[in-house]
Amino acid sequence: MASSENTGSSVRRVTMRDVAQLAGVDVAVVSKMLSGDASLSVRESTRERVLRAVAQLDYRPNYAARSLRRSRADAFGLVVPDFHNSVYSGIIDGAQSAANAMNYALLTVSASPTSDEESRLAALFGNGTIDGLLVAGAARADELVRLFRKRGQPVLSVNRRIPGLDRYVILDDFAAARQAVRHLVELGHTRIGHIGGPRDLDTSTRRLDGFFSAMQDAGLAIPTSYIVNADYTPRGGYQAMRSLLELSEPPQAVLAANVTSALGAMSAAYEAGVSIPNDLSLISIHDLDLAEYASPALTVIRMPIYEMGRLAVQLLADTPPNDAIEQVVDTPLELIARHSTSRPHA
Amino acid sequence: MASSENTGSSVRRVTMRDVAQLAGVDVAVVSKMLSGDASLSVRESTRERVLRAVAQLDYRPNYAARSLRRSRADAFGLVVPDFHNSVYSGIIDGAQSAANAMNYALLTVSASPTSDEESRLAALFGNGTIDGLLVAGAARADELVRLFRKRGQPVLSVNRRIPGLDRYVILDDFAAARQAVRHLVELGHTRIGHIGGPRDLDTSTRRLDGFFSAMQDAGLAIPTSYIVNADYTPRGGYQAMRSLLELSEPPQAVLAANVTSALGAMSAAYEAGVSIPNDLSLISIHDLDLAEYASPALTVIRMPIYEMGRLAVQLLADTPPNDAIEQVVDTPLELIARHSTSRPHA
DNA sequence: CTGAAAGCGCTTACAG
DNA sequence: CTGAAAGCGCTTACAG
């Protein structure tokens, strides 16, 4: 009477046998039909009966059984360091889209860099749940990566190069920083500072290199004090900008290595009474919907993050697991000139 | 010679039989030991041999086999509408944390409201991959929800009430809006406007109700033009604020139903030369790291999103699948008074 | 305390 | 064109 008596799996799962029985055929026929076996030719009437039975019973092949039998999961795993970061959101979207296109599942989990997470991750993904592993950015998954490599299962690092792993997809951070600096130089700036990312992170060092390279091309000097490391957060950008503005001769223009730190930097400038872009030009790498609604709207180099996610899954699927993958996404970068940069007004 | 010859699953998977053989016991012993069967008593020396064999072979129980045999997946699924939204990031974090604590996997996917996504989702999660389903916010998963209900498998809607489903966890949006209005009233404001969410979304109507309720308590009139619907985006908030500021007598204070739309609204005020908080006070529901670094820093009602995620998983796991769950998270809301609200200066 | 055996629901040669 | 049978790697009564 009470529907709450109907607990758990009280409803017997419908199985391939049920379908076969209802359609009056052998399970092998059902199996081959449903898995799209090309070598199968069935009489049209049989095909129809099977399809009708499948629909009538709302049959769905059991995942665990299929996976066990074929010893593959038709799934990839993606480990991100943090769900609260639009860079990873973009990677996830791209990766999910590519996975869907090949009828693979994408299982995304976050792994903050605490030690017990490592073994949890290995337990979660190390047992046949996934056929290939994507590790994005600073996510900690060393144990899992070792395991996959040992077993000859494919691994790929996304947006970062992991020491000892010759398989990665990255963006052209070097070119992005160069393009940003060129924009500032073309506007007429000469005193240009840099709010960098975490000191030893792969993306930040490449952006820093690009910054140096473009400054050198332009024949511009870089006082040591003009380079400040932050941590890709609003707070980090805020502090970095403060230290820049406290200099006896502050920069006229700043490249922030990351959009959220740029937004934090804007806040510090506002607080110090420094007007952007009149007193200070600011440009950053990566776009964000909020960047357009900052005051003033932030000028930005938009990076092909979504494309990187897509490409990562495709490479993971299509490259033999022990081949090297050293790929820089070649989708063109895009300068989105908004209102935080202008010619120097001094 | 070339390591690239070692393709695919060339490395034979180590199986429970291998462990049993190496340890000189039956697989049943290994199985019971590894699944923590309480009814098992093994000689200490046997236990040691098994453990050593497991470690030596780096054995990990095959997920598909275990799942097939026990007909459960030890996993929950979470469907979100969008990874680019800190509300869902918070829900994911909370849910993942609770799932980890009970040794369950949490599989998170996004489902934008396009029709073919629906059947893809059903194929992905409808085949025994997960033991329970969480649907967050506006994510479209109707087909999957129906399927789970029919089978007597647990479903729970998070941060939204789905028509016809008496199982949900939501926040106290009503109380949040009331608290926000009270803050403005206490500061001395009387002309208070509201930038609402999408017209028919569950969360926005509850926030709107709270707004009305608190205004009524304060004996304040609400011109129709003071209520503007937006869509929880920066752009929506921007447009809504513009229309508010074009009024012949604009509000002195505004409650934005959502933090990103509040940030967009700030941009419109800035553009119109309206100074916050001098000319206009602004408060919003939900916090965001960037809200603290807006100029001025945004005053906010912080909502227990992470707690909602945790609670959702716990309820999903602990409640019989056909019982009703109608839960409002009772973690206290928190007013974070920053610098976007002040007494009226007129 | 330990072993033998059935079976979860599929897929895949193989036979007819 | 269709059927019978083995087996993927576990878990779980059951027997000893």
Side-chain angles (χ1 to χ4, degrees), chain A residues 50-113:
Chain A
V50 171
L51 255 24
R52 214 167 22 232
V54 166
Q56 188 177 329
L57 299 174
D58 196 13
Y59 169 70
R60 291 150 201 275
N62 180 281
Y63 172 77
R66 163 178 290 206
S67 172
L68 173 60
R69 185 52 237 243
R70 306 172 60 190
S71 51
R72 34 182 266 233
D74 287 350
F76 291 133
L78 169 59
V79 186
V80 299
D82 184 6
F83 281 110
H84 295 264
N85 182 324
S86 71
V87 172
Y88 299 115
S89 307
I91 292 174
I92 296 172
D93 281 351
Q96 195 175 295
S97 149
N100 291 349
M102 57 179 77
N103 275 315
Y104 263 61
L106 181 76
L107 311 183
T108 306
V109 301
S110 71
S112 54

Side-chain angles (χ1 to χ4, degrees), chain B residues 283-299:
Chain B
I283 185 172
S284 91
I285 293 175
H286 285 316
D287 198 10
L288 190 66
D289 56 352
L290 283 172
E292 190 179 343
Y293 292 92
S295 303
L298 189 65
T299 295

